[in-house]
Amino acid sequence: MQTWNDLGETWDFIETAANTDFVAGVVGWVDLTDPYVADTLAELQQSPNGKWLVGVRHLIQTESDPNWLLRDDVCRGLQAVQDAGLVYDLVPNLPQLPAAIGTTKAFPELRFVLDHISKPNIKNREFDVWAELMQGFRGERGHVWCKLSGMITEADWQN
């Protein structure tokens, strides 16, 4: 299960995971820019249901700055995610893809999941720029995975 950009939902989801037999883990949200993000992660992980927190994500495509991931305060937060032994899910669209690639190179010890193969523009069949940028993940074997999901949301449902 994955959450929206809301810490309360992260708490709710790890509780839900503890009370079900079909949830394997929660990819939650924490404010990566918070100077105390490491404390928040520790609190989540040390809670009675903390074992269900397996990763963190931030919907970076909602940020106006396409280089949000490369900001110093965000990098400090990503270091806290790495130190906590969690995975970081990248949720970029095309404008954020270069920063996502740079982030995976800057954190070779942090495990990443590229969600929804970075949502190529399937509806308009615009793949060339996306495919070229995706090459930037080559060589990042061992700490970057790609999740094949959510792509239908980018398609033309009528045709």
Side-chain angles (χ1 to χ4, degrees):
M1 293 186 343
Q2 54 203 23
T3 67
W4 184 249
N5 290 354
D6 181 283
L7 184 58
E9 191 170 72
T10 300
W11 283 106
D12 291 345
F13 276 31
I14 62 173
E15 182 178 339
T16 298
N19 294 315
T20 64
D21 60 357
F22 56 86
V23 176
V26 172
V27 176
W29 180 86
V30 294
D31 182 357
L32 294 175
T33 67
D34 181 354
Y36 302 102
V37 65
D39 295 336
T40 302
L41 289 169
E43 184 180 357
L44 284 161
Q45 289 182 302
Q46 293 167 10
S47 72
N49 300 321
K51 71 177 185 177
W52 298 106
L53 183 67
V54 297
V56 171
R57 77 175 195 161
H58 179 86
L59 301 175
I60 60 176
Q61 73 268 26
T62 65
E63 297 293 337
S64 60
D65 178 4
N67 292 312
W68 183 84
L69 276 170
L70 301 174
R71 290 178 13 186
D72 289 343
D73 55 349
V74 176
C75 288
R76 187 188 61 251
L78 290 170
Q79 184 64 54
V81 172
Q82 177 180 308
D83 293 346
L86 298 170
V87 172
Y88 186 75
D89 278 28
L90 294 162
V91 194
N93 284 337
L94 193 63
Q96 298 87 25
L97 200 48
I101 294 163
T103 300
T104 64
K105 292 182 184 323
F107 288 90
E109 302 300 316
L110 178 56
R111 295 173 294 152
F112 291 95
V113 174
L114 179 63
D115 285 356
H116 319 305
I117 64 170
S118 190
K119 291 191 169 186
N121 191 342
I122 296 169
K123 181 177 183 177
N124 295 318
R125 302 182 194 281
E126 295 174 355
F127 300 110
D128 293 343
V129 174
W130 167 83
E132 184 177 327
L133 285 170
M134 289 294 285
Q135 294 298 315
F137 290 109
R138 293 184 80 185
E140 299 302 312
R141 296 185 181 107
H143 80 289
V144 179
W145 291 267
C146 187
K147 183 168 100 174
L148 301 175
S149 66
M151 295 171 293
I152 194 166
T153 64
E154 304 304 309
D156 178 352
W157 289 37
Q158 305 304 316
N159 298 305

